[in-house]
Structures are given as structure tokens and as C-alpha cells.
């Protein structure tokens, strides 16, 4: 339906409301789906008219549209069901259960079972979760609050909750205006016309003599309703006096009607339509000379108004600043010296420097990971592997297909202009928004299922002085979102996937006094596209069919439609001061174009030269210092002076760059990040940049904290979004570059921290690196979980909840304990922390989660545990049957897999919670389907019990480990064994004991843990890359080890009580936590370690005395030591022993 038709519906709704046609109003609201009347909805809910409520909601959404809609319908039907039970109307309750609630059983069968069980209770309030249910009226009021929140959060309702602002009786006004016009067109207009119908156009009957046209003052009766209905109301006639005549608009309209000129002249003088004063001069402005008496061709008002608006500088100064003199700059201003070479571990897709801390670099990778690097210390401050935060909130299309089709890759990362937020776009539907509160403090803020297909670009902007996120995608749409996830605008004029967006604003836009040059309106007038506000805020966009469009923040459509050079993938970018506009793109034939636009004319001002003839991908570019351009081409970085079409110079950055490297300047222009072909990037610097990288001795992480918290964002009205503009970080869609494999027995990871030959100019080596050793309790933060010490039952398994708010421990006696952290002033996030003591949590029933241990020898049992992704259920066993517990009630939902053999390891399938891989005491692995209670496959490959299982969705494999020191690789599709590898036991050590496995967040590297070693494997080939064996200060057997949440660290516990913190990339020890720091008695030692799902520097250990301790670095440190610098295998003059290799082992690679 067109926009005007939609508006007509609103006018009719207003008319029906004014005429008290209540039923018709709500029927039209529902049938049109344009306006959700919250007041009417509230009345029906509070009255308990559930059928009417559901019918009304069904006009706007269906049950399966999204998770919000499903929750809305569920709450309505659940309340109807409870009210039937409260009336003791069991027959009605059964009817609702079977007819209305059954549909939800496919989404949560256990919940449906619980609801069904309410029928067996005399009073459903006997159910613990419903014990606080009050009377019906109170319950409806409480539910209404929840429903309103769901409706307001539901994207299907977001533009339907507000009725447009209309003057009263707007439809009646329009009818009167129409009658006025009709009367003015009468050949024989009467002073007091008698209008009896609206069904045909009005004409006055002829009289005996001519009458002069006069202003018409129609009586109310002219639009009165026939009996028996009452009059439309006292709406006065549309006045003539005091209103400016719409001469131009009417004359142009009449010209098209080809009416006699004498009539046209009469219409011009007699019009009674008022025109806002600020539009009169525009409407009167002639576009072409008159062609006939009384007939004038007028320019379209929108275009004319846009032509008359210019930036302030267009009147007083030249559009472009004067060129700098040659002597004011030199080639030394360009960052061309290689300062750093860092390894990301996966192909870099996008980079962005922090807008104010110029050595902080945000990096997005092809594996979906985003990482923040501190370039001075060459450390990863954090790394966030891709993870869907809330799958149920995503569209059903994404749930069904998007995540399974291919791996998720980053397409764009960007800082907000104030540096308080980080945005990441992915090649499947989603964007993620994080709040950045300082080093190691990146918090999830918002996940949006933004586009169907890939999200190709993301940028921050300030429409209406409000910080927003702008996205574009394969679905040909551009969308603007506020920081709550509400969609503000939806632009949809592109006919091909949108490749790039460039939000921009110009200050001090004013009405130009300059006359229009000639009569031609150029179709691509950049400088005037946002002429309706004191500040010009707009968005440029490009699509892969080569179209350039421009948009204001309204719903009128694109203001510009133009073709980019090359007519394929093009990126647009303003200079840092916002005064000059550039674009760079590549055609399908491989021809690249870097141009500057003349904004006032919409034409190309300069076409920069120097690209090779054919590019196998899309060239990326950036600008700096309002003077230089740089682009990646032919394995080099090429630089241009903005005033000269020939390039100044090139650099290959000592080699190793991608064929078409991505690149990004920092705001100062003294550092340039460029991507390399070995899954890393290099930092190029000028003299000032090298000085900034030497600041390692005085650098303070605390100085990096933003000046304000994201919860109280203050956005300046003149804040520019230039630094967050999408520039040069696009996917090279046909680039031949691929992630480098391990070649010739050498792992590229070992070159990750090698220093280039200019390192002496960058790193101060005067301070020798030292292993961080935490010995005293005051050197770390520690909290002991209450009610955890039980000397009769050691802690054998330990898990954080996936939400990070709780801790679950399984004791050797088969009892599980749960702790939850409170949300309060000390802990506003409610997440696990060492600063707050958590609560030992139990349901009101006092139930314990106790495994089946009947007939089990607890000394020989191998406990195992696994938690569902949504923290709703925990599955565990201690030598007996596997029990599935409800985490809210601690009730046993079901048991299965009775011994023998006993279960020894449990793992949920990553894509289906109904599928569980179960390692067994008899060395087999059972693939069990909980829903149908059936073992689908039985895998045989080990010689002793299975002690570890890990899934990789990227490689589509399951890796198992056993007490036989073997690793087996199984295909997830067929459950056939692909390969078997024996871990290499150090000389003199026994191959006994458990072996455990865990995948790195990239789903390719595999951590293998045995009491004799830590090892990293490339799981694609099952070749060992690194190995560490206990030695020196930490020589006791390893009891457990696990990756940190970002997979940058590995925490290992030892049987002598020590805890080691290792760099995950190379297994080099960076910190030792002595038992004296966390365990006063030192008689117990940790058997298991767990890592926080959101904080990479928080760990928890379960000890042999049954206690659980949560440990974090001291506030002053923020992290566990620093990475040992490496120079040719020597750590500051000492031969490193932190990671060992053997050239004689067939499954191991050289370091």
C-alpha cells in the first residue's frame, strides 16, 4: 500500500473515532495493521476478554513471527489457562491446553509438560513457581505490564504504536478544501452554492447573467451527513483571508489540465488554499519563462529548496581549502617505516583505530573474532570469538539456515566517535554492539538481526544529535538503529546489495543568497542534499551495481541517484575535516578508480592515477592529515597528495602484504595498519608514530578509560562521525588471498611476535622481562564460595553458567552445588566477580541436585557434567545413571544410560541440544538423542575409558580423548572415524591418567591436557604445534587446564597447588599463582579449573577439600603478567624453556 493510502487509513480512523464508531475503528486498526491501539488492548486485557485480545493482536503479528510474538501469545494463552483452572473449570483448561498451548510444545516440551501437570493440582498455586500468583485482577495487571514491554520491544510493532499528529477533523477539512476547489472551477460560480452530495464533482447551475468568481465560504451543511446520522460537527470553512495564494502550484497544475487561460487566471486570484510563509518564495520562483498567458512552469519545491541551501562557506570562501605549499610537508610525514608485525591468527577483514587513544587498534577476522590490540605493549587486551548471544531473538530464517550455511566472518568493525562503543558487522544477518569501559572491559550491549543475508557495512552517526548505528546489507536495505535496538529508518531504493555507507554532517548550513546558475538542475548536487535543517546530516550509500545514493534522515527516499566510476564496488570517504569527498572502487573487469568529487557540481574533480591495470578484487583506501590518500594495490601501499593525480611514493612494508591489502590510518596519521598474507598485520609509522610506540614505560592502561560511561552518553551537537565512517574495510570479494596453512613444517604462529629490523626504534629493552609471580593474597583478588568446604567430598567438576552469573560445582559424592552472584550497587552487572561473595542458591523446596550413586564405588567413579546453552538444564553422572536436572527447581527431569558401562564424559551437540555425545567407561562413545531416548550411533576407537569430548562446527568433527593417551577424530555427519593419533608422552613418564581436550574459539586449534603436558594441535591435520612439560618452579603433574573465554590464555592447575597462566599462542608461561596466594592451609590443591565466559582474566578452582575459589588479578594490574618477549628463541638473554619441541616426534612441528 502506498504512503498516501496509508495516510488515508489514518484519516478514516480519526473520522470514525470522532463519530464514535468504536467497533469500526478497532476493526480497521486490526485489518489494516497500521496502528496498534494500546489503550483498547489494555481495556480488553484487564477485562479478561482473551479471545478478543488474541484476535486483535493477530492483526499485527503471528505466533511464529519472532520470539517476542511467541512470548506475547504464550502469556495471553497461559493467563487464560490459569484463570480456567482458578475457576475449577478443568474441561475448559484441557480445551485451552490442547487447542491453544500445544503449539508451544515444539519449542519447549518440558515447559508444556509442567503446564500440563497443573491439571493434577487442586490449586495450581501449590506449584512452587506459581506460589505467588494472587487474585485474577492482580495477575492481569502484572501480565499487562509484561505484555506492553514485549509489544514495545517487538520490531513488528515499532512503527505502529503512535498515531500520527493530526489536527482535529482532518478528513473533513480536506473535503471542504476539495469543494472549494471544485467551486472555483465552476464556469458559473454562485456566491452561496448549494452542495448536496460528495459522490460527484460540484458544479453550479447556470444563471441568466454572468457572475464574478468570489471566495467561497462553504457552510457546514455542505458536508453534512444525511439523516438519520448527525452532522459531522462544527468545522468552519477554510478561510481565504490571511492566506497566501498558491499561485505557482495551482498554475502549474492547471497547465497540465489544459483549461482555458481565463479560468486559470481566475483560479490564481481566487484560491483559498493557505501556503506556509517559508515556502511562498520557493513556489513563486520560476524555472522557465512563461509559455502562455497565466501559465508558468514552476520548479519542484523540494528540488528548488535544496538548490537554494548551501554551506556557509559557499558564500564567503572557496569550496575547497587552498593547497598547502610544497614546503609545508615532506615524504617523511607518511608512515612508511615498519614498526611492528603482529599475528592475528586468522585473515584480517577490518581494522579501526580508537578515535582518541591512537595506539589501540580494533581488528575483525574472517573467523568472526574481534580483537583489541595495544600496540605499545603488542598485547591483545581482549579477543571476542563470534558467538550468538540470543539465538531465540534472531529471525527464524537465520535460526533455520543462516548459522549453518557457512562460518561467520566479520565484515566491518568500527569505534563510535566518542570511543565508548564498538560495532561489529558479520556476513550473516547480525551486528554486535559492545560498550567499551576501558582495557579488558568490553561488555555486550546489543545484538541485532539486522539484514537478510550479509551485513556489508556498519557506521556510527548522529541523526538528531543522537548516537545511532547505520547498517547496510545484501537485502538492498540501509537501516538506522538507536542504541536500544529500535529501528529508526529503513531506506530501500537500491536495486542491488548495498556495499558501503558513509554518514556525514556539515555544520552551519544556511539559505544561500546566490542565484541559481542557469535553468538546469544537476542530478547529483552533493552540497545541497540536506537543506532542511540547520545542520546537514545525511548518508551516502553505494551498491554493487555501481549506484550512488544519498539520504536524509526521513522517509522520503533517496535524494541522489548517480553512477560511480567502474559501476561495481565503491567506497566513499570524506577527508578528516569533512571538506572533501573521495571514492575508490573497482570494476568487475578489475579496473580501479580513485577520484575526488566536486560537491557543488556533482562531477569528478580529479581522477588519481597509478593503479595496475587489472585487480583480482576490490581496492581499499583511506585518507589522512587532510592531505594524503593511500590505497592497497599489487602487494603495496600507494600514496597520493590530494592535489596531485600522480602518486607520490609506494612501500611494500618489507614484503608479505596481501595482494590487495586492507589499510587504516590512526586519527593522527602517524600510524598505518596494513594486512599481511600470513593472517596478520603490520604497523607502519613515521617519526612521530615511532615515538608514540616507545611510550611503553609511561603508558598506563587506566589512561585509556573513556571519560564517561556508556549508560550516560552525552553526544555533542557538533560531533563528527568522520572517524567512524566506513572506509576501506570491505571484503575483497574475489581476492585470491586465503588463510595461510602450515607450510614446510613451520607454523606461521611462531612468527607472530617476531620483531622487524626496526624494532630497536620501537621497543625499549632496558627493562628485562620477568615472570609474574603471585605469592601473597594481597597480590590478587579472591573470594571463597560460601558453604563449599566439605573435606569429605572434593570438587571434581566445575562450571560457570553460560550467562556468567553463577557457578556450578560437582562433588565426588555426586552432589551439585549452585552459587549465584547478586545484582547490587557493588555488582551492578550481576556477573561473577571476586569483589562480591555469591549466594549459595537452593530452591524453596530444599532439594539437592544429587546424582544416582546407588551401588557405585565413589572412589573409582568418573564424574561428568554438562550444562545446556540457556542454563536451564544440567546433565551429570557420578558412576550411575545420567540425570537431567531443572536448574530452577533442582528436580530430576529424566534419567538415562544406566550402567554398566558407566558414563565418563558428557557433551551437548553444539547445534542441537537434543543430541548428546556420551563417553563411556568401556571406551565407546554413544550418540544419544534425548527426545526419542535412543542411542543413534556407537563409536568405537579407544582402548580405555573416554575422558574428553570436544566438537568443532568449523571442521565438522568431534574429537575424543581417552585414558589410553589417544585422540580420535569423528565426522559429525556420518560419525565415522577419520583419524587416530597418540599423544607423545615425555621420556620416562607413564601414559596413564586422563587426557582432556578443548577447542580454541577459532574451532581449529585444539588444547590437549595430560598430567605430563599441555599441547596445542592443528585439528585440521591433527599435527602438534606446541608442547609444554612441567619444569622449573612448576614441575608437579598437571591436574587440569582450560582456555580463557577469548582463547588468549590457558589456565593450568597442578597437584602441588600452583596455578600457571600461559599464552595460548605459544604455551609460554607468563604468570605463576602460588598456593599461598589463594589457599591459606596449603594442604589442599586444585583438581579442576573453570574460566569465566566473559572475563578472560577471571578463573575459579575447585579444591580437594571441597572448597571453590574465584580469583582475579589485583585492581592495579588488571591482567596476569605480560607476554615474554622473544628474540631468536631467547627471552631477554635467557634460553626459554617454557615451550619444548622434539624433532623426532612425527606429530610435532618445529617452533
Amino acid at each position: 500500500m502506498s504512503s498516501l493510502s496509508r495516510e488515508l487509513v489514518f484519516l478514516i480512523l480519526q473520522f470514525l473515532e470522532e463519530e464514535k464508531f468504536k467497533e469500526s475503528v478497532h476493526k480497521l486498526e486490526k485489518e489494516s495493521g497500521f496502528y496498534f491501539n494500546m489503550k483498547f488492548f489494555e481495556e480488553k486485557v484487564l477485562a479478561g476478554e482473551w479471545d478478543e485480545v488474541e484476535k486483535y493482536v493477530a492483526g499485527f503479528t503471528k505466533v511464529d513471527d519472532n520470539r517476542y510474538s511467541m512470548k506475547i501469545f504464550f502469556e495471553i494463552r497461559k493467563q487464560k489457562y490459569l484463570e480456567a483452572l482458578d475457576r475449577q473449570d478443568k474441561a475448559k483448561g484441557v480445551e485451552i491446553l490442547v487447542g491453544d498451548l500445544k503449539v508451544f510444545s515444539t519449542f519447549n516440551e518440558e515447559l508444556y509438560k509442567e503446564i500440563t501437570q497443573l491439571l493434577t493440582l487442586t490449586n495450581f498455586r501449590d506449584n512452587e513457581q506459581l506460589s505467588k500468583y494472587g487474585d485474577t485482577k492482580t495477575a492481569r495487571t502484572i501480565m499487562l505490564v509484561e505484555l506492553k514491554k514485549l509489544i514495545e520491544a517487538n520490531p513488528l510493532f515499532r512503527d505502529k504504536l503512535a498515531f500520527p499528529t493530526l489536527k482535529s477533523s482532518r478528513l473533513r477539512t480536506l473535503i471542504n478544501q476539495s469543494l472549494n476547489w471544485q467551486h472555483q472551477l465552476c464556469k458559473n460560480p454562485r456566491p452561496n452554492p448549494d452542495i448536496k452530495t460528495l459522490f460527484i464533482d460540484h458544479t453550479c447551475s447556470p444563471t441568466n447573467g454572468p457572475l464574478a468568481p468570489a471566495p467561497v465560504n462553504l457552510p457546514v451543511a455542505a458536508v453534512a451527513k444525511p439523516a438519520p446520522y448527525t452532522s459531522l460537527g462544527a468545522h468552519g470553512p477554510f478561510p481565504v483571508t490571511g492566506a497566501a495564494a498558491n499561485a505557482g502550484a495551482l498554475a502549474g497544475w492547471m497547465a497540465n489540465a489544459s483549461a482555458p487561460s481565463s479560468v486559470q487566471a481566475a483560479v490564481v486570484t481566487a484560491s483559498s488554499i493557505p501556503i506556509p510563509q517559508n515556502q511562498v518564495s520557493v513556489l513563486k520562483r520560476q524555472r522557465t519563462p512563461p509559455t502562455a498567458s497565466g501559465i508558468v512552469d514552476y520548479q519542484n519545491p523540494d528540488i528548488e529548496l535544496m538548490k537554494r541551501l548551501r554551506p556557509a562557506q559557499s558564500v564567503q570562501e572557496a569550496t575547497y581549502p587552498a593547497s598547502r605549499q610544497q614546503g609545508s610537508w615532506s615524504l617523511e610525514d607518511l608512515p612508511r617505516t615498519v614498526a611492528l608485525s603482529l599475528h592475528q591468527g586468522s585473515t584480517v577483514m577490518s581494522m579501526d583505530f580508537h578515535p582518541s587513544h591512537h595506539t589501540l587498534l580494533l581488528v575483525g577476522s574472517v573467523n568472526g573474532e574481534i580483537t583489541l590490540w595495544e600496540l605499545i605493549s603488542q598485547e591483545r587486551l581482549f579477543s571476542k570469538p563470534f558467538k550468538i548471544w540470543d539465538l531465540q531473538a534472531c529471525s527464524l530464517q537465520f535460526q533455520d539456515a543462516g548459522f549453518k550455511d557457512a562460518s561467520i566472518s566479520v565484515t566491518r568493525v568500527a569505534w563510535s566517535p566518542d570511543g565508548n562503543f564498538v560495532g561489529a558487522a558479520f556476513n550473516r544477518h547480525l551486528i554486535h554492539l559492545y560498550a567499551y569501559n576501558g582495557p579488558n572491559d568490553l561488555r555486550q550491549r546489543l545484538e541485532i538481526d539486522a539484514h537478510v543475508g550479509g551485513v556489508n557495512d556498519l557506521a556510527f552517526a548522529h541523526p538528531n544529535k543522537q548516537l545511532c548505528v547505520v547498517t547496510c546489507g545484501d537485502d538492498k536495505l540501509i537501516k538506522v538503529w538507536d542504541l536500544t535496538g529500535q529501528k529508526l529508518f529503513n531506506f530501500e531504493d537500491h536495486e542491488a546489495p548495498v556495499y558501503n555507507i558513509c554518514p556525514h554532517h556539515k555544520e552551519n548550513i544556511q539559505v544561500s543568497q546566490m542565484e541559481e546558475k542557469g535553468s538546469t538542475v544537476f542530478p547529483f548536487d552533493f552540497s545541497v542534499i540536506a537543506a532542511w535543517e540547520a545542520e546537514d546530516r545525511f548518508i551516502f550509500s553505494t551498491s554493487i551495481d555501481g549506484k550512488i545514493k544519498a539520504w536524509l534522515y526521513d522517509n522520503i527516499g533517496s535524494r541522489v541517484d548517480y553512477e560511480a566510476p567502474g559501476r561495481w564496488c565503491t567506497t566513499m570517504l570524506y577527508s578528516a575535516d569533512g571538506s572533501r569527498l573521495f571514492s575508490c572502487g573497482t570494476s568487475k573487469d578489475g579496473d580501479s578508480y580513485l577520484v575526488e568529487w566536486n560537491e557543488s557540481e556533482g562531477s569528478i574533480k580529479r581522477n588519481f592515477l597509478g593503479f595496475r591495470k587489472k585487480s583480482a578484487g576490490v581496492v581499499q583506501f583511506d585518507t589522512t592529515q587532510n592531505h594524503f590518500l593511500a590505497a592497497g594495490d599489487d602487494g603495496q601501499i600507494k600514496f597520493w597528495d590530494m592535489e596531485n593525480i600522480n602518486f607520490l611514493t609506494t612501500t611494500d612494508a618489507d614484503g608479505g602484504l596481501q595482494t590487495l591489502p586492507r589499510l587504516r590510518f590512526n586519527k593522527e596519521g602517524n600510524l598505518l595498519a596494513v594486512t599481511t598474507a600470513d593472517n596478520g598485520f603490520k604497523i607502519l609509522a613515521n617519526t612521530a608514530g615511532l615515538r608514540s610506540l616507545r611510550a611503553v614505560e609511561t603508558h598506563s592502561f587506566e589512561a585509556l578509560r573513556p571519560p564517561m560511561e556508556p549508560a550516560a552518553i552525552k553526544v555533542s551537537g557538533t560531533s563528527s562521525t568522520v572517524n567512524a565512517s566506513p572506509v576501506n574495510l570491505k571484503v575483497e570479494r574475489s581476492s585470491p588471498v586465503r588463510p595461510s596453512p602450515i607450510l614446510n613444517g613451520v607454523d606461521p604462529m611462531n612468527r607472530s611476535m617476531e620483531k622487524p629490523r626496526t624494532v630497536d626504534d620501537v621497543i625499549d629493552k632496558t627493562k628485562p622481562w620477568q615472570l609474574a609471580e603471585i605469592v601473597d593474597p594481597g597480590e590478587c583478588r579472591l573470594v571463597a564460595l560460601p558453604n563449599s568446604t566439605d573435606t569429605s567430598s572434593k570438587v571434581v567438576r566445575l562450571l560457570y553458567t553460560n550467562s556468567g552469573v553463577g557457578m556450578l560445582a560437582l562433588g565426588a559424592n555426586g552432589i551439585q552445588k549452585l552459587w549465584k552472584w547478586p545484582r547490587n550497587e557493588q555488582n551492578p552487572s550481576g556477573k561473577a566477580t571476586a569483589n562480591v561473595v555469591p549466594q549459595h542458591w537452593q530452591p524453596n523446596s530444599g532439594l539437592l541436585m544429587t546424582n544416582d550413586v546407588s551401588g557405585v564405588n565413589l572412589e573409582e567413579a568418573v564424574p561428568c557434567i554438562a550444562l545446556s546453552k540457556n542454563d536451564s538444564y544440567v546433565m551429570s553422572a557420578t558412576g550411575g545413571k545420567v540425570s537431567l536436572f531443572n536448574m530452577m527447581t533442582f528436580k530430576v527431569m529424566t534419567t538415562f544410560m544406566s550402567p554398566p558401562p558407566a558414563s565418563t564424559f558428557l557433551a551437548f551437540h553444539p547445534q542441537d541440544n537434543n543430541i548428546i555425545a556420551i563417553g563411556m567407561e568401556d571406551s565407546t562413545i554413544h550418540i544419544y538423542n534425548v527426545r526419542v531416548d535412543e542411542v543413534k550411533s556407537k563409536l568405537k576407537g579407544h582402548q580405555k575409558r573416554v575422558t574428553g569430548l570436544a566438537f568443532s562446527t568449523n571442521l565438522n568433527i568431534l574429537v575424543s580423548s581417552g585414558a589410553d593417551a589417544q585422540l580420535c577424530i569423528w565426522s559429525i555427519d556420518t560419525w565415522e572415524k577419520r583419524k587416530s593419533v597418540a599423544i607423545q608422552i615425555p621420556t620416562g613418564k607413564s601414559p596413564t591418567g586422563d587426557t582432556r581436550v578443548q577447542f580454541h574459539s577459532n574451532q581449529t586449534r585444539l588444547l590437549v591436557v595430560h598430567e605430563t603436558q599441555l599441547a596445542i594441535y592443528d585439528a585440521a591435520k591433527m599435527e602438534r604445534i606446541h608442547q609444554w612439560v612441567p619444569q622449573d618452579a612448576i614441575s608437579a603433574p598437571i591436574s587440569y587446564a582450560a582456555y580463557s573465554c577469548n582463547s588468549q590464555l590457558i589456565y593450568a592447575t597442578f597437584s602441588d597447588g600452583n596455578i600457571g597462566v600461559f599464552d595460548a599462542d605459544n604455551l609460554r608461561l607468563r604468570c605463576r599463582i602460588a598456593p599461598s596466594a589463594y589457599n591459606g592451609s596449603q594442604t589442599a590443591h586444585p583438581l579442576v579449573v573453570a574460566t569465566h565466559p566473559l572475563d578472560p582474566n577471571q578463573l575459579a578452582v575447585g579444591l580437594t577439600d571441597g572448597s571453590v575459589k574465584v580469583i582475579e588479578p589485583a585492581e592495579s594490574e588488571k591482567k596476569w603478567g605480560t607476554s615474554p618477549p622473544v628474540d631468536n628463541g631467547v627471552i631477554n638473554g635467557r634460553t626459554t624453556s617454557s615451550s619444548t619441541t622434539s624433532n623426532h616426534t612425527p606429530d610435532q612441528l618445529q617452533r
Side-chain angles (χ1 to χ4, degrees), residues 737-794:
V737 178
R738 295 290 183 270
S740 301
I742 298 173
L743 301 175
N744 303 321
V746 178
D747 177 16
M749 179 63 77
N750 296 312
R751 291 180 280 121
S752 63
M753 302 302 286
E754 289 178 0
K755 308 300 185 295
R757 57 177 179 265
T758 58
V759 70
D760 290 336
D761 295 329
V762 182
I763 301 298
D764 186 350
K765 291 185 175 181
T766 59
K767 289 189 175 181
W769 175 87
Q770 288 186 337
L771 174 70
E773 297 198 87
I774 310 300
V775 178
D776 297 324
E779 296 175 324
C780 64
R781 287 176 289 161
L782 174 71
V783 63
L785 273 56
N787 302 318
S788 63
T789 303
D790 181 358
T791 55
S792 65
S793 179
K794 54 192 177 184

Side-chain angles (χ1 to χ4, degrees), residues 523-534:
F524 193 40
D525 194 355
F526 282 121
S527 66
V528 295
I529 65 169
W532 297 339
E533 298 182 48

Side-chain angles (χ1 to χ4, degrees), residues 414-563:
W415 288 99
S416 63
D418 56 12
N420 284 343
F421 295 94
V422 167
F426 301 94
N427 66 340
R428 289 291 187 274
H429 287 244
L430 299 180
I431 66 169
H432 283 170
L433 184 67
Y434 294 88
Y436 175 72
N437 300 314
N440 301 319
D441 192 359
L442 191 73
R443 302 180 183 179
Q444 296 179 3
R445 173 66 178 259
L446 189 64
E447 177 177 68
I448 302 176
D449 189 341
H451 293 271
V452 177
V455 183
N456 296 327
D457 207 352
L458 173 148
F460 289 91
H462 287 91
N464 304 319
K465 301 182 182 181
Q466 173 190 6
L467 183 63
C468 294
V469 180
V470 186
T471 61
C472 65
D474 288 341
D475 55 6
K476 310 176 187 176
L477 299 177
I478 301 159
K479 300 181 182 181
V480 183
W481 313 85
D482 68 14
L483 297 191
T484 67
Q486 180 175 349
K487 184 171 63 178
L488 303 179
F489 298 100
N490 192 73
F491 304 135
E492 52 184 30
D493 282 356
H494 275 291
E495 297 178 355
V498 185
Y499 179 80
N500 167 250
I501 44 178
C502 179
H504 189 58
H505 85 268
K506 289 174 178 276
E507 299 178 14
N508 301 322
I509 298 298
Q510 63 183 19
V511 178
S512 171
Q513 304 302 316
M514 300 173 62
E515 292 296 323
E516 182 179 356
K517 299 177 181 178
S519 61
T520 303
V521 179
F522 201 87
F524 193 40
D525 194 355
F526 282 121
S527 66
V528 295
I529 65 169
W532 297 339
E533 298 182 48
E535 288 188 346
D536 182 10
R537 300 176 185 275
F538 54 89
I539 303 169
F540 278 118
S541 62
T542 66
S543 53
I544 64 172
D545 58 358
K547 293 292 185 182
I548 298 176
K549 294 182 183 290
W551 318 79
L552 296 180
Y553 292 95
D554 56 30
N555 296 309
I556 296 178
S558 65
R559 302 306 206 279
V560 163
D561 192 347
Y562 205 65
E563 288 187 346

Side-chain angles (χ1 to χ4, degrees), residues 110 195 217 261 343 394 518 598 802 897 935 954 964 1013 1068:
E110 294 302 327
I195 300 176
N217 189 4
S261 59
H343 190 82
C394 299
N598 185 324
N802 293 298
M897 304 300 292
V935 175
N954 281 5
D964 55 0
Q1013 65 183 283
R1068 293 190 174 94

